[in-house]
Amino acid sequence: LYNQSVYYEPNRLAAYYDYESMEFTPEISAALDIYSEESTTMSEKGDILTIYSESDRIKNILDDLFNNRLGINTNLHMLARGVCKYGDNFVYLKIDPEKGIVGVQQLPNIEIERIEGASAKSPLPKDIKVPSRELRFQWKNKELEFQAWEIAHFRLLGDDRKLPYGTSMLDKVRRIWKQLLLAEDAMLIYRTSRAPERR
């Protein structure tokens, strides 16, 4: 836990900021668009998501959930692109006690932290913390804590060093992208410094 909080968490945030900047490179942006379009291609019936079940009741409930409440045909493209870009995607589920899930809201990946085996706050005196194995999510800037059933966490599992988060499709390109930026800056500085001599 100490290594994860001290070493990995700052690296994760730095990687997220890199992914934001990489979005402005046209080739990388186009690659993300291709990933999201290919993974959300419609079937011959015009559906992005096809539900298979032997029970008509389950099929109808899931069809209502995905198509009417979550708007999967509109939102899945954006969700897939976010997962490819960051490796993670956090979605808040708006839940009604009687109707179930009634809607979703996209959360900022950079500000959400996944806590596994979190210590739950206890009503005991002196605010004694009782260890718990519950999965929780925390919105750091707003100091909000969510239960596991309130958040849908999409992640691309790949590199085990990044657990419990996912691995971005852009992770292997970060070093080369930074080298490209340095090369472009060096070329620009060289051209501007040589301009008076050439003139």
Side-chain angles (χ1 to χ4, degrees):
L1 287 174
Y2 172 78
N3 287 336
Q4 182 179 354
S5 61
V6 172
Y7 296 110
Y8 180 62
E9 194 64 25
N11 290 340
R12 181 175 78 96
L13 297 181
Y16 280 175
Y17 287 121
D18 280 349
Y19 303 147
E20 282 290 331
S21 302
M22 291 167 87
E23 180 81 36
F24 294 102
T25 305
E27 293 84 359
I28 292 176
S29 181
L32 289 174
D33 289 338
I34 291 170
Y35 273 127
S36 61
E37 286 168 12
E38 289 292 323
S39 59
T40 56
T41 305
M42 287 187 178
S43 67
E44 62 275 2
K45 295 179 182 177
D47 297 326
I48 290 178
L49 188 70
T50 306
I51 300 165
Y52 296 100
S53 176
E54 294 177 0
S55 169
D56 289 336
R57 179 176 170 271
I58 291 173
K59 199 170 182 179
N60 291 333
I61 290 171
L62 290 177
D63 185 58
D64 176 60
L65 171 69
F66 287 118
N67 293 319
N68 300 333
R69 301 182 186 210
L70 302 184
I72 208 75
N73 285 334
T74 307
N75 296 329
L76 191 61
H77 180 79
M78 294 178 282
L79 291 173
R81 196 177 193 282
V83 170
C84 290
K85 180 177 172 183
Y86 296 106
D88 295 285
N89 206 3
F90 299 94
V91 176
Y92 174 67
L93 305 174
K94 298 175 184 175
I95 298 174
D96 183 87
E98 295 177 0
K99 298 177 183 176
I101 297 172
V102 293
V104 294
Q105 179 183 350
Q106 180 69 48
L107 297 177
N109 290 347
I110 294 173
E111 298 176 15
I112 305 299
E113 185 178 3
R114 179 182 171 124
I115 305 166
E116 293 188 344
S119 57
K121 289 184 180 176
S122 167
L124 295 173
K126 297 182 182 178
D127 197 26
I128 299 171
K129 289 189 177 181
V130 178
S132 165
R133 292 182 176 235
E134 292 178 9
L135 169 64
R136 293 172 184 268
F137 296 91
Q138 186 175 11
W139 193 336
K140 289 182 283 190
N141 289 359
K142 297 195 176 183
E143 295 183 0
L144 292 173
E145 193 169 82
F146 301 101
Q147 301 291 336
W149 46 267
E150 292 180 287
I151 301 287
H153 180 200
F154 301 93
R155 54 185 177 165
L156 288 177
L157 295 177
D159 192 346
D160 59 341
R161 294 171 298 173
K162 302 279 174 85
L163 290 174
Y165 301 98
T167 307
S168 168
M169 302 295 283
L170 305 178
D171 189 54
K172 305 296 186 218
V173 191
R174 277 178 71 199
R175 183 165 167 264
I176 297 165
W177 175 76
K178 287 180 179 178
Q179 287 175 343
L180 175 65
L181 289 186
L182 290 172
E184 288 174 350
D185 292 344
M187 184 183 69
L188 192 64
I189 292 167
Y190 174 75
R191 293 287 295 271
T192 52
S193 62
R194 284 292 304 275
E197 296 175 25
R198 292 166 65 88
R199 186 171 176 84

